[in-house]
PDB file of all heavy atoms in Angstrom:
ATOM      1  N   LYS A 267      56.161  14.516  59.634  1.00 99.00           N
ATOM      2  CA  LYS A 267      57.232  13.587  59.261  1.00 99.00           C
ATOM      3  C   LYS A 267      58.337  14.373  58.569  1.00 99.00           C
ATOM      4  O   LYS A 267      58.101  15.025  57.556  1.00 99.00           O
ATOM      5  CB  LYS A 267      56.680  12.497  58.327  1.00 99.00           C
ATOM      6  CG  LYS A 267      57.761  11.611  57.672  1.00 99.00           C
ATOM      7  CD  LYS A 267      57.168  10.493  56.826  1.00 99.00           C
ATOM      8  CE  LYS A 267      58.244   9.768  56.013  1.00 99.00           C
ATOM      9  NZ  LYS A 267      57.718   8.676  55.187  1.00 99.00           N
ATOM     10  N   ASP A 272      64.785   9.734  52.020  1.00 98.00           N
ATOM     11  CA  ASP A 272      64.350   8.365  52.294  1.00 98.00           C
ATOM     12  C   ASP A 272      64.869   7.426  51.203  1.00 98.00           C
ATOM     13  O   ASP A 272      64.255   7.273  50.156  1.00 98.00           O
ATOM     14  CB  ASP A 272      62.818   8.305  52.369  1.00 98.00           C
ATOM     15  CG  ASP A 272      62.306   6.892  52.646  1.00 98.00           C
ATOM     16  OD1 ASP A 272      63.120   6.019  53.034  1.00 98.00           O
ATOM     17  OD2 ASP A 272      61.089   6.675  52.477  1.00 98.00           O
ATOM     18  N   ASP A 290      60.613  13.910  51.426  1.00 98.00           N
ATOM     19  CA  ASP A 290      59.931  13.080  52.427  1.00 98.00           C
ATOM     20  C   ASP A 290      59.834  13.806  53.775  1.00 98.00           C
ATOM     21  O   ASP A 290      59.423  13.222  54.767  1.00 98.00           O
ATOM     22  CB  ASP A 290      60.682  11.746  52.566  1.00 98.00           C
ATOM     23  CG  ASP A 290      59.754  10.602  52.955  1.00 98.00           C
ATOM     24  OD1 ASP A 290      58.526  10.747  52.795  1.00 98.00           O
ATOM     25  OD2 ASP A 290      60.260   9.560  53.425  1.00 98.00           O
ATOM     26  N   GLU A 351      59.837   3.823  57.427  1.00 98.00           N
ATOM     27  CA  GLU A 351      60.507   4.584  58.494  1.00 98.00           C
ATOM     28  C   GLU A 351      59.649   5.721  59.044  1.00 98.00           C
ATOM     29  O   GLU A 351      59.822   6.138  60.184  1.00 98.00           O
ATOM     30  CB  GLU A 351      61.835   5.134  57.968  1.00 98.00           C
ATOM     31  CG  GLU A 351      61.754   6.436  57.165  1.00 98.00           C
ATOM     32  CD  GLU A 351      60.937   6.335  55.891  1.00 98.00           C
ATOM     33  OE1 GLU A 351      60.807   5.213  55.350  1.00 98.00           O
ATOM     34  OE2 GLU A 351      60.412   7.364  55.427  1.00 98.00           O
ATOM     35  N   THR A 377      54.189  12.184  54.469  1.00 99.00           N
ATOM     36  CA  THR A 377      54.279  11.466  53.198  1.00 99.00           C
ATOM     37  C   THR A 377      54.493  10.003  53.558  1.00 99.00           C
ATOM     38  O   THR A 377      55.595   9.489  53.461  1.00 99.00           O
ATOM     39  CB  THR A 377      55.471  11.997  52.388  1.00 99.00           C
ATOM     40  OG1 THR A 377      56.615  12.050  53.262  1.00 99.00           O
ATOM     41  CG2 THR A 377      55.219  13.373  51.823  1.00 99.00           C
TER      42      THR A 377
HETATM   43 ZN1   ZN B 603      59.419   7.835  53.799  1.00 75.02          ZN
END
Side-chain angles (χ1 to χ4, degrees):
K267 170 176 171 180
D272 180 14
D290 210 17
E351 83 298 335
T377 48

